[in-house]
Amino acid sequence: MSEERFGEFVLVRRHGDGHVAELALDRPKAMNAVSSEMARSIGAACTALGEDRDVRVVVLTSTHERAFCVGADLKERNSFSDAELVRQRPVARGAYIGVLELPVPTVAAVHGFALGGGFELALACDVIVADRTAVVGLPEVSVGVIPGGGGTQLLPRRVGAGRAAELIFSARRVEAAEARELGLVDVLVDEGRDREEALALGERIGANSPVGLRAAKRALRLGQGLDLRAGLEVEDAAWRAVAFSGDRAEGVAAFNEKRKPQWPGE
């Protein structure tokens, strides 16, 4: 396993053959509250991972024992003038958009508090694995703002408009069992096993065709919100992008020869 640090608060670990990258939020003294510096580091790490053709899946984790991420750094925000808040907005958005626009599958490993911007980072991932200590929610209206890291758009796509409205308007926190029942998280695991299970899922994902994974994610993301006919056209374009690839040829050959594929990644 190799490690690379982005600023003070973000650590990227490459597991095994490097196909699984772990993006670890590492600001334990503040329960991973996202400061401007941390937001820049998340964005920079995502840019680097998105450009790395060896990476097939990214797993978003936390080094804090009791929290995934408690959201924006409100102590920092409290010191801002209006002009400073305006200037900081693109920096903050860069972190959430960075995770959301990663071209490979993403898995969040959530334990403890994942609130506000912390839950939005998880919502930006394709799959959320949570342990039984997880508490999630978007409480922004309780402090006079709204979810601004994608929450008002990502949550209704996950759980439907009415349920998202209830959760956002009430600002309530949701514990792990109910979160799984409502679809706020996808996989519920025993306490302390969220990172292990998310990385294991990452390994399973990462064993597949890198060309296929990127195309499948593109089809899933671009097809959201479209009518069926338009969505099928998105799917067809993604299929055409992989149908004549080296990965497709290798995958079919490996299947017929009953061996593990050696993906060329092109």
Side-chain angles (χ1 to χ4, degrees), residues 159-173:
V159 301
R163 183 157 286 161
E166 183 268 319
L167 292 166
I168 291 171
F169 295 158
S170 69
R172 72 182 179 96
R173 300 180 178 189

Side-chain angles (χ1 to χ4, degrees), residues 41-259:
S41 296
I42 293 170
C46 288
T47 296
L49 292 171
E51 293 173 350
D52 188 339
R53 300 299 295 188
D54 286 335
V55 173
R56 299 180 187 174
V57 59
V58 174
V59 180
L60 185 61
T61 69
S62 162
T63 64
H64 195 284
E65 293 182 355
R66 294 185 295 109
F68 174 73
C69 173
V70 294
D73 186 341
L74 295 185
K75 290 183 179 179
E76 179 189 64
R77 293 280 179 89
N78 192 48
S79 70
F80 285 164
S81 66
D82 288 351
E84 288 170 332
L85 185 60
V86 170
R87 287 195 297 271
Q88 196 263 354
R89 175 63 175 161
V91 176
R93 288 194 74 195
Y96 303 105
I97 295 297
V99 175
L100 184 65
E101 294 188 348
L102 278 165
V104 297
T106 49
V107 181
V110 174
H111 60 267
F113 297 113
L115 300 172
F119 188 39
E120 287 174 305
L121 286 172
L123 288 171
C125 293
D126 299 302
V127 181
I128 302 175
V129 176
D131 83 355
R132 296 186 182 279
T133 70
V135 178
V136 306
L138 297 175
E140 284 88 347
V141 297
S142 70
V143 294
V145 291
I146 70 165
T152 65
Q153 305 305 304
L154 294 171
L155 190 60
R157 284 168 166 78
R158 176 176 272 274
V159 301
R163 183 157 286 161
E166 183 268 319
L167 292 166
I168 291 171
F169 295 158
S170 69
R172 72 182 179 96
R173 300 180 178 189
V174 182
E175 295 187 0
E178 185 186 4
R180 175 65 186 91
E181 181 182 339
L182 296 179
L184 300 175
V185 304
D186 302 301
V187 181
L188 187 60
V189 300
D190 291 337
E191 181 176 346
R193 291 186 57 84
D194 55 296
R195 177 176 178 268
E196 180 181 351
E197 295 289 346
L199 286 171
L201 176 57
E203 291 287 350
R204 292 195 296 274
I205 292 171
N208 295 312
S209 158
V211 171
L213 289 171
R214 286 174 180 249
K217 175 158 182 172
R218 191 163 60 249
L220 284 163
R221 286 291 176 90
L222 292 179
Q224 287 183 2
L226 301 179
D227 63 47
L228 179 58
R229 185 178 294 277
L232 289 173
E233 292 304 314
V234 168
E235 181 183 82
D236 187 63
W239 178 87
R240 291 175 186 277
V242 301
F244 309 104
S245 68
D247 273 15
R248 197 276 311 172
E250 168 61 10
V252 173
F255 177 83
N256 284 291
E257 295 165 18
K258 297 184 170 130
R259 61 174 174 81

